[in-house]
Amino acid sequence: MVAHLSSHSPALPVGAYRGAETIAAFSARDEELAALTARAGVYDLSYRAFIKITGSDRIRWTNGMVSNTIVGLEEGQGNYSFLLNAQGRVLGDATIYRFADHLLLETDRAQVEALIAHLDHFIIMDDVELQPLDASTTAIGIAGPAAMQVLSQLGFALPPENHFIPSKWQSAEITVTHARSPLVPRFEIRIASADAPAFWAALTASGVIPCGSAALEALRILEGTPLYGVDITDRHLPQETAQPHALNFSKGCYLGQEIVERIRSRATVHRTFRQFSLSQPPGAFESGDQQPLSLEAEGAQQNPAGQLSSIAEYHLPGFTGTLALGFIRTEVLERKLPIACSGSAVTPLDAPPKLG
């Protein structure tokens, strides 16, 4: 976590999280997760980084570099995209927003260096400039059923999902973004780092609970959202990730499109990303372990039949259990074969569990 937030609780554990120093928990992970899913929680987004794209060719050029449409975006709108190589493999992911005079690419800080190198390689005769934004700007997140009410009471106009509105808080220039979220409303406030502590204090004074990276990870797994570098890697193809909102099939040519279209025409992939329910925490699983665990399927033509890459236990008022994210061979799903992982029975889910 950035210094202006971690200084509020210097005794709290701080560690690397997605390219930034963050606090794992302000209180207890389950209490913070309960706030994010039932009330409202505030969290540091300094692990998110921004690349400003300028130049007269920025829209056409960027449209040819990502899997979603940029030409089709309105000012004040954004969408989620993959960046692919020529073989159609996923090199990274980002949300791209359209402003009047530039595009803003938002991604994990850990991906910035590799994505800039990849994108810069394809600027040939184009009027395009890539500018990574420095630490003078940061972002704060607020999520939960009461998030909209809290922000409205602070005087903010709220955009629809996948849109943003430039705004002001006191004398600070900010941007309010309604982020995509499959479970609870999420908002991101982009703000000058110098103004962030006061804004954080205003949110907590409104009753919003401070939340650390452990609760954010648990919410991500509960939602069934994959993380690039953990669940999705450069071995995966776009359709294998089960993230259709990252793809646009009518936008025209882009890097990796030939492979994406070939997969669409064949209407099949050999493996797919899923969320799973586990009968118990796997015996080999330890909190913080990043090593994927193998899935075994009784009667499958090939074992391991997949792997689990993100796992979390839950003790919420509306849900108790163990959930995981990972990839499974489509043959196993089609044949509805029994699946196990380190002594735990594994059930593929069609949707995240309902809370309450």
Side-chain angles (χ1 to χ4, degrees), residues 24 32 40 53 65-66 110 116 133 150 154 227 246 304 311 314 321 324 329 334:
E32 295 174 10
I53 307 175
M65 295 303 303
V66 299
I116 287 182
L133 300 188
V150 170
L154 288 174
L227 172 61
I311 305 174
Y314 296 89
R329 292 188 65 81
E334 291 167 354

Side-chain angles (χ1 to χ4, degrees), residues 59 80 90 112 117 153 177 183-184 220 246 259-260 295 308 312 333:
I59 294 174
Y80 176 70
V90 181
V112 168
Q153 288 174 345
T177 300
L183 191 63
V184 295
R220 179 182 72 80
I259 305 301
V260 173
L295 292 173
L308 302 180
L333 297 178

Side-chain angles (χ1 to χ4, degrees), residues 4-5 8 140 154 169-170 172 191-205:
H4 62 258
L5 297 184
H8 289 282
I140 291 174
L154 288 174
W169 179 74
Q170 296 182 353
I191 188 170
S193 297
D195 296 316
F199 186 70
W200 178 280
L203 289 174
T204 56

